[in-house]
Amino acid sequence: MAAAARRRPRLCQERHQQRSRAGERGVALIAVLWIMVVLASLAASFGISTRTQVNLAAILFEQGRPGETLAICREVKPVFHRLGDRPWLARALNNEGMALHALGRVDEAVDTLQRASALYLDSGERAYAASALLNRVELLIDHNRRAEAAGAI
């Protein structure tokens, strides 16, 4: 019985050390997970703020400020490209195409709206793809390019 009593404190101490090491690993794991959450939220916030810029560009366009719309759209496109956010990249392209049209840069607008429509379609956003296509067709019709407009449909 005396031998068992002497072994018990040592076993408890070993278990405490094992738990302590496991606790340190647990704390380290929690810290790593926390860092991952913070980084993910920063990336999401970056994407969200960039999306807000696209919405601002649309508002500026509606206010008759296509130059500012164009500048914002060109600024955010690389961000969406890096994030792999194809639907929002397409939205930026659509807004850019409309701004180019308002600035009289028709050929650039036609190409940009075509890219927006194709990107929307590739992303499964059929309604938005149709909207970008409609913008392109209306632009072509407005500039007496009816055959090209008919071919686009």
Side-chain angles (χ1 to χ4, degrees):
M1 188 178 248
R6 277 182 276 159
R7 278 185 31 197
R8 185 173 297 141
R10 197 170 79 217
L11 288 174
C12 289
Q13 184 180 10
E14 287 172 6
R15 285 187 189 138
H16 174 70
Q17 287 173 347
Q18 289 172 349
R19 287 184 186 139
S20 180
R21 284 190 298 269
E24 289 170 7
R25 285 191 300 267
V27 169
L29 179 60
I30 290 170
V32 168
L33 291 174
W34 178 251
I35 290 168
M36 290 172 64
V37 167
V38 169
L39 290 175
S41 68
L42 286 173
S45 295
F46 192 53
I48 290 169
S49 68
T50 307
R51 290 176 180 177
T52 302
Q53 286 180 285
V54 173
N55 291 330
L56 172 62
I59 292 168
L60 290 170
F61 181 78
E62 292 299 321
Q63 292 179 343
R65 297 160 67 180
E68 292 169 81
T69 299
L70 181 61
I72 290 172
C73 291
R74 290 198 167 160
E75 180 182 326
V76 299
K77 285 189 314 183
V79 175
F80 291 130
H81 185 66
R82 277 196 309 274
L83 293 174
D85 195 338
R86 295 167 57 98
W88 279 88
L89 176 57
R91 185 166 292 166
L93 283 167
N94 186 67
N95 291 350
E96 180 181 340
M98 297 304 291
L100 287 164
H101 178 224
L103 293 168
R105 295 161 63 180
V106 176
D107 290 333
E108 288 177 83
V110 169
D111 292 341
T112 303
L113 290 168
Q114 170 58 35
R115 291 192 347 250
S117 183
L119 195 54
Y120 273 134
L121 204 54
D122 288 345
S123 301
E125 302 279 347
R126 294 188 326 201
Y128 288 118
S131 177
L133 176 62
L134 180 61
N135 289 338
R136 181 173 173 240
V137 168
E138 287 178 347
L139 183 156
L140 290 168
I141 290 170
D142 287 348
H143 292 276
N144 294 317
R145 294 165 67 176
R146 288 178 169 68
E148 195 176 341
I153 298 172

